[in-house]
Amino acid sequence: FQEEMAKVFVKNRRAVVIGLGGTRKSHLIKLLRPKFKALGYKVTCIAFTHVAVANVNDVEYPAYTILHLLHRFVGNKRNKKK
Protein backbone atom coordinates (compact mmCIF):
# COMPACT_ATOMS: atom_id res chain seq x y z
CA PHE A 1 0.00 0.00 0.00
CA GLN A 2 2.83 2.44 0.82
CA GLU A 3 4.34 2.04 -2.66
CA GLU A 4 0.97 2.87 -4.24
CA MET A 5 0.58 5.95 -2.04
CA ALA A 6 4.14 7.04 -2.85
CA LYS A 7 3.28 6.96 -6.56
CA VAL A 8 0.14 9.07 -5.94
CA PHE A 9 2.08 11.62 -3.88
CA VAL A 10 4.80 11.91 -6.52
CA LYS A 11 2.21 12.22 -9.29
CA ASN A 12 0.59 15.11 -7.37
CA ARG A 13 4.09 16.53 -6.64
CA ARG A 14 3.45 17.13 -2.94
CA ALA A 15 3.13 15.16 0.27
CA VAL A 16 2.40 15.63 3.95
CA VAL A 17 2.66 12.41 5.91
CA ILE A 18 0.78 12.33 9.23
CA GLY A 19 -0.84 9.54 11.20
CA LEU A 20 -0.94 7.52 14.37
CA GLY A 21 2.05 5.62 15.69
CA GLY A 22 2.74 2.33 13.96
CA THR A 23 1.09 3.23 10.65
CA ARG A 24 4.41 2.99 8.73
CA LYS A 25 4.84 6.71 8.13
CA SER A 26 8.63 6.37 8.30
CA HIS A 27 8.57 3.66 5.66
CA LEU A 28 6.45 5.82 3.36
CA ILE A 29 8.80 8.78 3.86
CA LYS A 30 11.81 6.60 2.97
CA LEU A 31 10.02 5.64 -0.26
CA LEU A 32 9.10 9.24 -1.10
CA ARG A 33 12.42 11.01 -0.57
CA PRO A 34 14.40 9.53 -3.49
CA LYS A 35 11.40 9.89 -5.82
CA PHE A 36 11.02 13.60 -5.08
CA LYS A 37 14.78 14.17 -5.24
CA ALA A 38 14.83 12.56 -8.70
CA LEU A 39 12.28 15.19 -9.78
CA GLY A 40 14.62 17.95 -8.59
CA TYR A 41 12.92 18.79 -5.29
CA LYS A 42 14.83 19.57 -2.12
CA VAL A 43 13.52 17.16 0.52
CA THR A 44 13.45 18.15 4.19
CA CYS A 45 11.78 16.01 6.83
CA ILE A 46 10.41 17.81 9.88
CA ALA A 47 9.09 16.07 12.99
CA PHE A 48 7.83 16.96 16.46
CA THR A 49 10.15 14.62 18.38
CA HIS A 50 13.75 13.45 18.28
CA VAL A 51 12.50 9.85 18.13
CA ALA A 52 10.60 10.55 14.92
CA VAL A 53 13.65 12.33 13.48
CA ALA A 54 15.82 9.32 14.32
CA ASN A 55 13.41 7.05 12.45
CA VAL A 56 13.77 8.93 9.15
CA ASN A 57 17.15 10.68 9.46
CA ASP A 58 19.69 9.84 6.78
CA VAL A 59 22.99 11.37 5.64
CA GLU A 60 21.56 12.08 2.19
CA TYR A 61 18.15 13.18 3.51
CA PRO A 62 18.48 14.93 6.87
CA ALA A 63 15.54 15.29 9.23
CA TYR A 64 15.02 17.92 11.93
CA THR A 65 12.70 18.70 14.78
CA ILE A 66 10.42 21.69 14.34
CA LEU A 67 12.08 23.37 17.31
CA HIS A 68 15.52 22.95 15.72
CA LEU A 69 14.40 24.66 12.52
CA LEU A 70 12.72 27.48 14.42
CA HIS A 71 15.91 28.17 16.37
CA ARG A 72 18.01 27.85 13.24
CA PHE A 73 16.07 30.28 11.08
CA VAL A 74 14.21 32.59 13.46
CA GLY A 75 17.10 32.77 15.91
CA ASN A 76 19.51 33.80 13.15
CA LYS A 77 17.31 36.72 12.15
CA ARG A 78 17.15 38.01 15.71
CA ASN A 79 20.91 37.89 16.18
CA LYS A 80 21.84 39.76 13.00
CA LYS A 81 23.20 43.25 13.49
CA LYS A 82 21.62 46.06 11.49
Side-chain angles (χ1 to χ4, degrees):
F1 179 74
Q2 280 84 8
E3 187 63 45
E4 293 173 29
M5 289 309 301
K7 288 178 185 176
V8 171
F9 286 147
V10 171
K11 180 181 174 187
N12 292 329
R13 299 193 185 273
R14 62 182 53 101
V16 174
V17 181
I18 57 174
L20 299 173
T23 56
R24 300 190 50 92
K25 296 177 297 293
S26 298
H27 179 71
L28 179 59
I29 290 168
K30 289 176 184 178
L31 291 173
L32 287 171
R33 291 186 296 191
K35 293 176 186 295
F36 277 109
K37 188 168 184 183
L39 292 173
Y41 287 92
K42 180 181 178 188
V43 178
T44 303
C45 292
I46 304 169
F48 285 109
T49 66
H50 288 91
V51 173
V53 167
N55 287 338
V56 295
N57 200 20
D58 190 306
V59 172
E60 191 173 352
Y61 306 105
Y64 306 98
T65 62
I66 293 171
L67 189 59
H68 172 85
L69 290 178
L70 285 172
H71 283 284
R72 184 173 168 189
F73 294 109
V74 175
N76 282 345
K77 289 182 181 177
R78 284 188 191 158
N79 296 330
K80 286 187 178 179
K81 294 181 180 179
K82 293 182 181 182

Coordinates of all heavy atoms in Angstrom, one line a residue:
F1 N 0.8 -1.2 0.0 CA 0.0 0.0 0.0 C 0.9 1.3 0.0 O 0.5 2.2 -0.7 CB -1.0 0.0 1.2 CG -1.8 1.2 1.3 CD1 -2.9 1.4 0.4 CD2 -1.6 2.2 2.2 CE1 -3.7 2.5 0.5 CE2 -2.3 3.3 2.3 CZ -3.4 3.5 1.5
Q2 N 2.0 1.3 0.8 CA 2.8 2.4 0.8 C 3.4 2.8 -0.5 O 3.5 4.0 -0.9 CB 4.0 2.2 1.8 CG 3.6 2.5 3.3 CD 3.0 1.2 3.9 OE1 3.0 0.2 3.3 NE2 2.4 1.4 5.1
E3 N 3.8 1.8 -1.3 CA 4.3 2.0 -2.7 C 3.3 2.7 -3.6 O 3.6 3.6 -4.3 CB 4.9 0.7 -3.3 CG 5.6 0.9 -4.6 CD 6.8 1.8 -4.5 OE1 7.6 1.6 -3.6 OE2 7.0 2.7 -5.3
E4 N 2.0 2.3 -3.5 CA 1.0 2.9 -4.2 C 0.8 4.3 -3.8 O 0.6 5.2 -4.7 CB -0.3 2.1 -4.1 CG -0.3 0.7 -4.6 CD -1.6 -0.1 -4.3 OE1 -2.6 0.5 -4.1 OE2 -1.4 -1.3 -4.2
M5 N 0.8 4.6 -2.5 CA 0.6 5.9 -2.0 C 1.8 6.8 -2.4 O 1.6 8.0 -2.8 CB 0.4 6.0 -0.5 CG -0.9 5.4 -0.1 SD -2.4 6.1 -0.9 CE -2.2 7.8 -0.5
A6 N 3.0 6.3 -2.4 CA 4.1 7.0 -2.8 C 4.0 7.5 -4.3 O 4.3 8.6 -4.6 CB 5.4 6.2 -2.7
K7 N 3.5 6.6 -5.2 CA 3.3 7.0 -6.6 C 2.2 8.1 -6.7 O 2.4 9.0 -7.5 CB 2.8 5.7 -7.3 CG 3.9 4.7 -7.5 CD 3.4 3.5 -8.3 CE 4.5 2.4 -8.4 NZ 4.0 1.2 -9.0
V8 N 1.2 8.0 -5.9 CA 0.1 9.1 -5.9 C 0.7 10.4 -5.5 O 0.5 11.4 -6.1 CB -1.1 8.7 -5.1 CG1 -2.1 9.8 -4.9 CG2 -1.8 7.5 -5.7
F9 N 1.5 10.4 -4.4 CA 2.1 11.6 -3.9 C 3.0 12.2 -4.9 O 3.0 13.4 -5.1 CB 2.9 11.4 -2.6 CG 2.0 11.2 -1.4 CD1 2.4 10.3 -0.4 CD2 0.8 11.8 -1.2 CE1 1.6 10.2 0.8 CE2 0.0 11.7 -0.1 CZ 0.4 10.8 0.9
V10 N 3.8 11.4 -5.5 CA 4.8 11.9 -6.5 C 4.1 12.4 -7.7 O 4.4 13.5 -8.3 CB 5.8 10.8 -6.9 CG1 6.7 11.2 -8.1 CG2 6.7 10.5 -5.7
K11 N 3.0 11.8 -8.1 CA 2.2 12.2 -9.3 C 1.6 13.6 -9.0 O 1.6 14.5 -9.9 CB 1.1 11.2 -9.6 CG 0.2 11.6 -10.8 CD -0.9 10.6 -11.0 CE -1.8 11.1 -12.0 NZ -3.0 10.2 -12.2
N12 N 1.2 13.8 -7.8 CA 0.6 15.1 -7.4 C 1.7 16.1 -7.0 O 1.3 17.3 -6.8 CB -0.4 14.9 -6.2 CG -1.6 14.2 -6.6 OD1 -2.1 14.3 -7.7 ND2 -2.1 13.4 -5.7
R13 N 2.9 15.7 -6.9 CA 4.1 16.5 -6.6 C 4.0 17.2 -5.3 O 4.6 18.3 -5.1 CB 4.3 17.5 -7.8 CG 4.6 16.9 -9.1 CD 5.1 17.9 -10.1 NE 5.3 17.3 -11.4 CZ 6.4 16.6 -11.8 NH1 7.4 16.4 -11.0 NH2 6.4 16.1 -13.0
R14 N 3.4 16.6 -4.3 CA 3.4 17.1 -2.9 C 3.0 16.0 -2.0 O 2.3 15.1 -2.3 CB 2.6 18.3 -2.8 CG 1.1 18.1 -3.0 CD 0.3 19.4 -2.9 NE 0.8 20.5 -3.7 CZ 0.3 20.8 -4.9 NH1 -0.7 20.2 -5.4 NH2 0.8 21.8 -5.6
A15 N 3.5 16.2 -0.7 CA 3.1 15.2 0.3 C 3.3 15.7 1.7 O 4.2 16.5 2.0 CB 4.0 13.9 0.2
V16 N 2.3 15.4 2.5 CA 2.4 15.6 3.9 C 2.0 14.3 4.6 O 0.9 13.8 4.3 CB 1.4 16.7 4.4 CG1 1.4 16.8 5.9 CG2 1.8 18.1 3.8
V17 N 2.9 13.7 5.3 CA 2.7 12.4 5.9 C 2.4 12.6 7.4 O 3.3 13.0 8.2 CB 3.9 11.5 5.7 CG1 3.6 10.1 6.2 CG2 4.2 11.4 4.2
I18 N 1.2 12.3 7.8 CA 0.8 12.3 9.2 C 0.0 11.1 9.5 O -0.6 10.5 8.7 CB 0.0 13.6 9.6 CG1 -1.3 13.7 8.7 CG2 0.8 14.8 9.4 CD1 -2.2 14.8 9.1
G19 N -0.1 10.7 10.8 CA -0.8 9.5 11.2 C -0.5 9.1 12.6 O 0.5 9.6 13.2
L20 N -1.2 8.1 13.1 CA -0.9 7.5 14.4 C 0.3 6.7 14.4 O 0.8 6.3 13.3 CB -2.1 6.6 14.8 CG -3.5 7.3 14.9 CD1 -4.6 6.3 15.1 CD2 -3.4 8.3 16.0
G21 N 0.9 6.4 15.6 CA 2.1 5.6 15.7 C 1.8 4.2 15.1 O 0.7 3.7 15.3
G22 N 2.8 3.7 14.5 CA 2.7 2.3 14.0 C 2.0 2.2 12.6 O 1.7 1.1 12.2
T23 N 1.8 3.3 11.9 CA 1.1 3.2 10.7 C 2.1 3.3 9.5 O 1.6 3.5 8.3 CB 0.1 4.4 10.5 OG1 0.7 5.6 10.7 CG2 -1.1 4.2 11.5
R24 N 3.4 3.1 9.8 CA 4.4 3.0 8.7 C 4.7 4.3 8.0 O 5.0 4.3 6.8 CB 4.1 1.8 7.8 CG 4.1 0.5 8.5 CD 4.0 -0.7 7.7 NE 5.0 -0.8 6.6 CZ 6.2 -1.4 6.7 NH1 6.6 -1.9 7.9 NH2 7.0 -1.5 5.7
K25 N 4.5 5.4 8.7 CA 4.8 6.7 8.1 C 6.3 6.8 7.7 O 6.6 7.3 6.6 CB 4.5 7.8 9.1 CG 3.1 7.9 9.5 CD 2.8 9.0 10.6 CE 3.5 8.8 11.9 NZ 3.1 7.6 12.6
S26 N 7.2 6.3 8.6 CA 8.6 6.4 8.3 C 9.0 5.6 7.0 O 9.8 6.0 6.2 CB 9.4 5.8 9.5 OG 9.2 6.6 10.6
H27 N 8.3 4.5 6.9 CA 8.6 3.7 5.7 C 8.1 4.4 4.4 O 8.8 4.4 3.4 CB 7.8 2.3 5.8 CG 8.0 1.4 4.6 ND1 9.2 0.8 4.3 CD2 7.1 1.1 3.6 CE1 9.0 0.1 3.2 NE2 7.8 0.3 2.7
L28 N 7.0 5.0 4.5 CA 6.5 5.8 3.4 C 7.4 7.0 3.0 O 7.7 7.2 1.9 CB 5.0 6.3 3.7 CG 4.4 7.2 2.6 CD1 4.3 6.4 1.2 CD2 3.0 7.7 3.0
I29 N 7.9 7.7 4.1 CA 8.8 8.8 3.9 C 10.1 8.3 3.2 O 10.6 8.9 2.3 CB 9.1 9.5 5.2 CG1 7.9 10.2 5.7 CG2 10.3 10.4 5.1 CD1 7.9 10.7 7.1
K30 N 10.6 7.2 3.6 CA 11.8 6.6 3.0 C 11.6 6.2 1.5 O 12.5 6.3 0.7 CB 12.3 5.4 3.8 CG 12.9 5.8 5.1 CD 13.3 4.6 5.9 CE 13.8 5.1 7.3 NZ 14.2 3.9 8.1
L31 N 10.3 5.9 1.1 CA 10.0 5.6 -0.3 C 9.9 6.9 -1.1 O 10.3 7.0 -2.2 CB 8.7 4.9 -0.4 CG 8.7 3.4 0.1 CD1 7.2 2.9 0.1 CD2 9.6 2.6 -0.7
L32 N 9.4 8.0 -0.4 CA 9.1 9.2 -1.1 C 10.4 10.1 -1.4 O 10.5 10.7 -2.4 CB 8.1 10.1 -0.3 CG 6.7 9.7 -0.2 CD1 5.9 10.5 0.8 CD2 6.1 9.8 -1.6
R33 N 11.3 10.1 -0.4 CA 12.4 11.0 -0.6 C 13.2 10.8 -1.9 O 13.4 11.8 -2.6 CB 13.3 10.9 0.6 CG 12.7 11.4 1.9 CD 13.6 11.5 3.0 NE 14.0 10.1 3.4 CZ 14.6 9.8 4.5 NH1 15.0 10.7 5.4 NH2 15.0 8.6 4.8
P34 N 13.6 9.6 -2.2 CA 14.4 9.5 -3.5 C 13.6 9.9 -4.7 O 14.1 10.4 -5.7 CB 14.9 8.1 -3.5 CG 14.2 7.4 -2.5 CD 13.6 8.4 -1.5
K35 N 12.3 9.6 -4.7 CA 11.4 9.9 -5.8 C 11.3 11.4 -6.0 O 11.4 11.9 -7.2 CB 10.0 9.3 -5.6 CG 10.0 7.7 -5.6 CD 8.6 7.2 -5.3 CE 8.6 5.7 -5.2 NZ 8.9 5.0 -6.4
F36 N 11.1 12.1 -5.0 CA 11.0 13.6 -5.1 C 12.4 14.2 -5.5 O 12.4 15.1 -6.2 CB 10.5 14.2 -3.8 CG 9.0 14.2 -3.7 CD1 8.3 13.4 -2.8 CD2 8.2 15.1 -4.5 CE1 6.9 13.4 -2.7 CE2 6.9 15.1 -4.5 CZ 6.2 14.2 -3.6
K37 N 13.5 13.7 -4.9 CA 14.8 14.2 -5.2 C 15.1 14.0 -6.7 O 15.7 14.8 -7.4 CB 15.9 13.5 -4.4 CG 17.2 14.2 -4.6 CD 18.2 13.7 -3.6 CE 19.5 14.5 -3.8 NZ 20.5 14.1 -2.9
A38 N 14.6 12.8 -7.3 CA 14.8 12.6 -8.7 C 14.1 13.6 -9.6 O 14.5 13.8 -10.7 CB 14.4 11.1 -9.0
L39 N 13.0 14.2 -9.0 CA 12.3 15.2 -9.8 C 12.9 16.6 -9.6 O 12.4 17.6 -10.2 CB 10.8 15.2 -9.3 CG 10.0 14.0 -9.7 CD1 8.6 14.1 -9.0 CD2 9.8 13.9 -11.2
G40 N 13.9 16.7 -8.8 CA 14.6 18.0 -8.6 C 14.2 18.7 -7.4 O 14.6 19.9 -7.2
Y41 N 13.4 18.1 -6.5 CA 12.9 18.8 -5.3 C 14.0 18.7 -4.2 O 14.7 17.7 -4.1 CB 11.6 18.2 -4.8 CG 10.4 18.5 -5.6 CD1 10.0 17.7 -6.6 CD2 9.7 19.6 -5.3 CE1 8.9 18.0 -7.4 CE2 8.6 20.0 -6.0 CZ 8.2 19.1 -7.1 OH 7.1 19.5 -7.8
K42 N 14.0 19.7 -3.3 CA 14.8 19.6 -2.1 C 13.9 19.0 -1.1 O 12.8 19.5 -0.8 CB 15.3 20.9 -1.7 CG 16.1 20.9 -0.4 CD 16.6 22.3 0.0 CE 17.4 22.1 1.3 NZ 17.7 23.4 1.9
V43 N 14.4 17.9 -0.4 CA 13.5 17.2 0.5 C 14.0 17.4 1.9 O 15.2 17.2 2.2 CB 13.5 15.6 0.2 CG1 12.7 14.9 1.2 CG2 13.1 15.4 -1.2
T44 N 13.1 17.9 2.8 CA 13.4 18.1 4.2 C 12.4 17.5 5.0 O 11.2 17.8 4.8 CB 13.5 19.7 4.5 OG1 14.5 20.3 3.7 CG2 13.9 19.9 6.0
C45 N 12.7 16.6 5.9 CA 11.8 16.0 6.8 C 11.8 16.8 8.2 O 12.8 17.0 8.7 CB 12.1 14.6 7.1 SG 11.9 13.5 5.6
I46 N 10.6 17.1 8.6 CA 10.4 17.8 9.9 C 9.5 17.0 10.8 O 8.5 16.5 10.3 CB 9.8 19.2 9.6 CG1 10.6 20.0 8.6 CG2 9.6 20.0 10.9 CD1 9.9 21.2 8.1
A47 N 9.9 16.9 12.1 CA 9.1 16.1 13.0 C 9.0 16.8 14.3 O 9.7 17.7 14.6 CB 9.7 14.7 13.2
F48 N 8.0 16.4 15.1 CA 7.8 17.0 16.5 C 8.9 16.5 17.5 O 9.3 17.2 18.4 CB 6.4 16.6 17.0 CG 5.3 17.4 16.4 CD1 4.5 16.8 15.5 CD2 5.2 18.8 16.6 CE1 3.4 17.5 14.9 CE2 4.2 19.5 16.0 CZ 3.3 18.9 15.2
T49 N 9.3 15.2 17.4 CA 10.2 14.6 18.4 C 11.5 14.1 17.8 O 11.6 13.8 16.6 CB 9.5 13.4 19.1 OG1 9.3 12.4 18.1 CG2 8.1 13.8 19.6
H50 N 12.5 14.0 18.7 CA 13.8 13.4 18.3 C 13.6 12.0 17.9 O 14.4 11.5 17.0 CB 14.8 13.6 19.4 CG 15.2 15.0 19.6 ND1 14.6 15.9 20.5 CD2 16.2 15.7 19.0 CE1 15.2 17.0 20.4 NE2 16.2 17.0 19.6
V51 N 12.7 11.3 18.5 CA 12.5 9.8 18.1 C 12.0 9.7 16.7 O 12.5 8.9 15.9 CB 11.5 9.2 19.1 CG1 11.1 7.8 18.6 CG2 12.0 9.2 20.5
A52 N 11.1 10.6 16.3 CA 10.6 10.6 14.9 C 11.7 11.0 13.9 O 11.8 10.4 12.9 CB 9.4 11.5 14.8
V53 N 12.5 11.9 14.3 CA 13.6 12.3 13.5 C 14.6 11.2 13.3 O 15.1 10.9 12.2 CB 14.4 13.6 14.1 CG1 15.7 13.8 13.4 CG2 13.5 14.8 14.0
A54 N 14.9 10.5 14.4 CA 15.8 9.3 14.3 C 15.3 8.2 13.4 O 16.1 7.5 12.7 CB 16.1 8.8 15.7
N55 N 14.0 8.1 13.3 CA 13.4 7.0 12.4 C 13.6 7.3 11.0 O 13.7 6.4 10.2 CB 11.9 6.9 12.7 CG 11.7 6.2 14.0 OD1 12.5 5.5 14.5 ND2 10.5 6.4 14.6
V56 N 13.7 8.6 10.6 CA 13.8 8.9 9.1 C 15.1 9.6 8.8 O 15.3 9.9 7.6 CB 12.6 9.8 8.7 CG1 11.3 9.0 8.8 CG2 12.5 11.1 9.4
N57 N 15.9 9.9 9.7 CA 17.1 10.7 9.5 C 18.1 9.8 8.6 O 18.2 8.6 8.8 CB 17.8 11.1 10.8 CG 18.8 12.2 10.6 OD1 18.7 13.0 9.6 ND2 19.7 12.4 11.5
D58 N 18.8 10.5 7.7 CA 19.7 9.8 6.8 C 20.7 10.9 6.4 O 20.5 12.1 6.4 CB 18.9 9.4 5.6 CG 19.7 8.5 4.6 OD1 20.8 8.9 4.2 OD2 19.2 7.4 4.3
V59 N 21.9 10.4 6.0 CA 23.0 11.4 5.6 C 22.6 12.1 4.4 O 22.7 13.4 4.3 CB 24.3 10.6 5.4 CG1 25.4 11.5 4.8 CG2 24.8 10.0 6.6
E60 N 22.0 11.4 3.4 CA 21.6 12.1 2.2 C 20.3 12.9 2.4 O 20.1 13.9 1.7 CB 21.3 11.0 1.1 CG 21.2 11.6 -0.3 CD 21.1 10.5 -1.3 OE1 21.4 9.4 -1.0 OE2 20.8 10.9 -2.5
Y61 N 19.4 12.5 3.3 CA 18.1 13.2 3.5 C 18.0 13.5 5.0 O 17.4 12.7 5.7 CB 17.0 12.3 3.1 CG 17.0 11.8 1.7 CD1 17.4 10.5 1.4 CD2 16.7 12.6 0.6 CE1 17.4 10.0 0.1 CE2 16.8 12.2 -0.7 CZ 17.1 10.8 -0.9 OH 17.2 10.4 -2.2
P62 N 18.6 14.6 5.4 CA 18.5 14.9 6.9 C 17.1 15.2 7.3 O 16.2 15.7 6.6 CB 19.4 16.2 7.0 CG 19.4 16.8 5.7 CD 19.2 15.7 4.7
A63 N 16.8 15.0 8.6 CA 15.5 15.3 9.2 C 15.8 16.1 10.5 O 16.9 16.0 11.1 CB 14.8 14.0 9.6
Y64 N 14.9 17.0 10.8 CA 15.0 17.9 11.9 C 13.7 18.0 12.7 O 12.7 17.8 12.2 CB 15.3 19.3 11.4 CG 16.5 19.4 10.5 CD1 16.3 19.4 9.1 CD2 17.8 19.5 11.0 CE1 17.4 19.5 8.2 CE2 18.9 19.5 10.1 CZ 18.6 19.5 8.7 OH 19.7 19.6 7.9
T65 N 13.9 18.4 14.0 CA 12.7 18.7 14.8 C 12.2 20.1 14.4 O 13.0 20.9 13.9 CB 13.0 18.7 16.3 OG1 13.9 19.7 16.6 CG2 13.4 17.3 16.8
I66 N 11.0 20.4 14.6 CA 10.4 21.7 14.3 C 11.1 22.7 15.2 O 11.5 23.8 14.7 CB 8.9 21.7 14.6 CG1 8.2 20.8 13.6 CG2 8.4 23.1 14.6 CD1 6.7 20.6 13.9
L67 N 11.4 22.4 16.4 CA 12.1 23.4 17.3 C 13.5 23.7 16.8 O 13.9 24.9 16.8 CB 12.2 22.8 18.7 CG 12.7 23.7 19.8 CD1 11.8 25.0 19.9 CD2 12.7 23.0 21.1
H68 N 14.2 22.7 16.3 CA 15.5 23.0 15.7 C 15.5 24.0 14.6 O 16.3 24.9 14.5 CB 16.1 21.6 15.2 CG 17.4 21.8 14.5 ND1 18.6 21.9 15.1 CD2 17.7 22.0 13.2 CE1 19.6 22.1 14.2 NE2 19.0 22.1 13.0
L69 N 14.5 23.8 13.7 CA 14.4 24.7 12.5 C 14.0 26.1 12.9 O 14.5 27.1 12.4 CB 13.4 24.1 11.5 CG 13.9 22.9 10.7 CD1 12.9 22.3 9.8 CD2 15.2 23.1 10.0
L70 N 13.1 26.2 13.9 CA 12.7 27.5 14.4 C 13.9 28.2 15.0 O 14.1 29.4 14.7 CB 11.6 27.4 15.5 CG 10.2 27.0 15.0 CD1 9.3 26.8 16.1 CD2 9.7 28.2 14.1
H71 N 14.7 27.5 15.8 CA 15.9 28.2 16.4 C 16.9 28.5 15.3 O 17.6 29.5 15.3 CB 16.6 27.3 17.4 CG 15.8 27.3 18.7 ND1 15.9 28.3 19.6 CD2 15.0 26.4 19.3 CE1 15.2 28.1 20.7 NE2 14.6 26.9 20.5
R72 N 17.0 27.7 14.3 CA 18.0 27.8 13.2 C 17.7 29.1 12.4 O 18.6 29.9 12.1 CB 18.1 26.6 12.4 CG 19.1 26.6 11.3 CD 19.1 25.3 10.6 NE 19.9 25.3 9.4 CZ 20.0 24.4 8.5 NH1 19.3 23.2 8.8 NH2 20.7 24.5 7.4
F73 N 16.4 29.2 12.0 CA 16.1 30.3 11.1 C 15.6 31.5 11.8 O 16.0 32.6 11.5 CB 15.0 29.8 10.1 CG 15.6 28.7 9.1 CD1 15.2 27.4 9.3 CD2 16.5 29.1 8.2 CE1 15.7 26.5 8.4 CE2 17.0 28.1 7.4 CZ 16.6 26.8 7.5
V74 N 14.7 31.4 12.8 CA 14.2 32.6 13.5 C 15.3 33.2 14.4 O 15.5 34.4 14.4 CB 12.9 32.2 14.3 CG1 12.5 33.4 15.1 CG2 11.8 31.8 13.3
G75 N 16.0 32.3 15.0 CA 17.1 32.8 15.9 C 18.2 33.5 15.2 O 18.7 34.5 15.6
N76 N 18.5 33.1 13.9 CA 19.5 33.8 13.2 C 19.1 35.2 12.8 O 19.9 36.1 12.7 CB 19.8 33.0 11.9 CG 20.7 31.8 12.1 OD1 21.3 31.7 13.2 ND2 20.8 30.9 11.2
K77 N 17.8 35.4 12.5 CA 17.3 36.7 12.1 C 17.4 37.7 13.3 O 17.6 38.9 13.2 CB 15.9 36.6 11.6 CG 15.9 36.0 10.2 CD 14.5 35.9 9.7 CE 14.5 35.2 8.3 NZ 13.2 35.1 7.8
R78 N 17.1 37.2 14.5 CA 17.2 38.0 15.7 C 18.6 38.5 16.0 O 18.8 39.5 16.5 CB 16.6 37.2 16.9 CG 15.1 37.1 16.9 CD 14.7 36.5 18.2 NE 13.3 36.2 18.2 CZ 12.7 35.3 19.0 NH1 13.4 34.7 19.9 NH2 11.5 35.0 18.8
N79 N 19.5 37.6 15.8 CA 20.9 37.9 16.2 C 21.7 38.7 15.2 O 22.8 39.1 15.4 CB 21.7 36.6 16.5 CG 21.0 35.9 17.6 OD1 20.5 36.5 18.5 ND2 21.1 34.5 17.6
K80 N 21.1 39.0 14.0 CA 21.8 39.8 13.0 C 21.9 41.2 13.4 O 20.9 41.8 13.9 CB 21.2 39.6 11.6 CG 21.4 38.3 11.0 CD 20.9 38.3 9.6 CE 21.2 36.9 9.0 NZ 20.7 36.9 7.6
K81 N 23.0 41.8 13.2 CA 23.2 43.3 13.5 C 22.7 44.1 12.3 O 22.9 43.7 11.2 CB 24.6 43.6 13.8 CG 25.1 42.9 15.1 CD 26.5 43.3 15.4 CE 27.0 42.6 16.6 NZ 28.4 42.9 17.0
K82 N 22.1 45.2 12.6 CA 21.6 46.1 11.5 C 22.7 47.0 11.0 O 23.5 47.5 11.6 CB 20.4 46.8 12.0 CG 19.2 45.9 12.2 CD 18.0 46.7 12.6 CE 16.9 45.7 12.9 NZ 15.7 46.4 13.3

